[in-house]
Amino acid sequence: LPIYLDTRTIVIVDAFVAVVPTLVSVSVWYTRPTYPGFGRWTLGILLGMLSLVFLSLRGVAPDWISIVLANMLAAGAAILYFQGVRLFCGLRLYAWPEYLAGVLAISAVIYFRYFTNNIDFRTFALSLLMGSVGLANGITLLRASPAGLGFSTVFTGIVFILAGAVHLSRGIYAYTFMPATDLFAPSAVNAAFFGAASLGVVCWC
């Protein structure tokens, strides 16, 4: 039988790794001038870290914590990133489209847990939100960011696009090819996805 990295361990490592950019961002936010949207990005990093913490408790903590709350925090982080990107690029915030998308995604998570228990549909719903936001963030940064910011902006835009593509690919794969019973089931796809998430977190440092 093939041997895969333990996905729960990868998620726990992701959560610990995320502590570093969270603390750095909070420190910068409170001690020096920042670009527009930086506060929302900082809060997004914090919510993303907490989401990983609660996600790692799957099977240990109640489902309303490890599934519903964890996914709510992930959706909140995605929305804050999106708003931060638009503020950074000097674009108008409409607010309601991303909030509506977040509510629909979390409603699907709740429905496919407590009314019809289907992890594949939950994965697809959240992946659709996270992937769409990731692609929107990356494209916005590459097309509308202030001139003269150079490599860091381009790099961040590419990371967002890659993250969005990975989320969408995972959602489509889970929905069409890989019926699942456990988020942490040992598989090459799960190991690759959470390993990529860890790498994405490192890119914030």
Side-chain angles (χ1 to χ4, degrees), residues 107-166:
S107 296
V109 168
I110 293 172
Y111 179 83
F112 288 112
R113 169 57 189 91
Y114 293 104
F115 296 91
T116 302
N117 191 14
N118 190 311
I119 188 175
D120 295 322
F121 286 177
R122 295 200 304 267
T123 299
F124 178 77
L126 197 71
S127 294
L128 182 61
L129 173 67
M130 304 291 283
S132 299
V133 170
L135 292 178
N137 286 344
I139 293 170
T140 301
L141 278 176
L142 294 178
R143 295 184 60 182
S145 60
L149 295 179
F151 173 77
S152 61
T153 303
V154 173
F155 177 76
T156 304
I158 292 173
V159 169
F160 268 125
I161 289 175
L162 291 176
V166 168

Side-chain angles (χ1 to χ4, degrees), residues 79-91:
I79 291 170
L80 287 167
Y81 284 140
F82 178 78
Q83 293 179 342
V85 166
R86 291 191 65 83
L87 288 174
F88 175 73
C89 294
L91 302 175

Side-chain angles (χ1 to χ4, degrees), residues 40 79 82-84 86-87 90-100:
R40 280 179 166 82
I79 291 170
F82 178 78
Q83 293 179 342
R86 291 191 65 83
L87 288 174
L91 302 175
R92 178 180 175 183
L93 288 184
Y94 293 96
W96 70 265
E98 57 265 32
Y99 290 144
L100 177 60

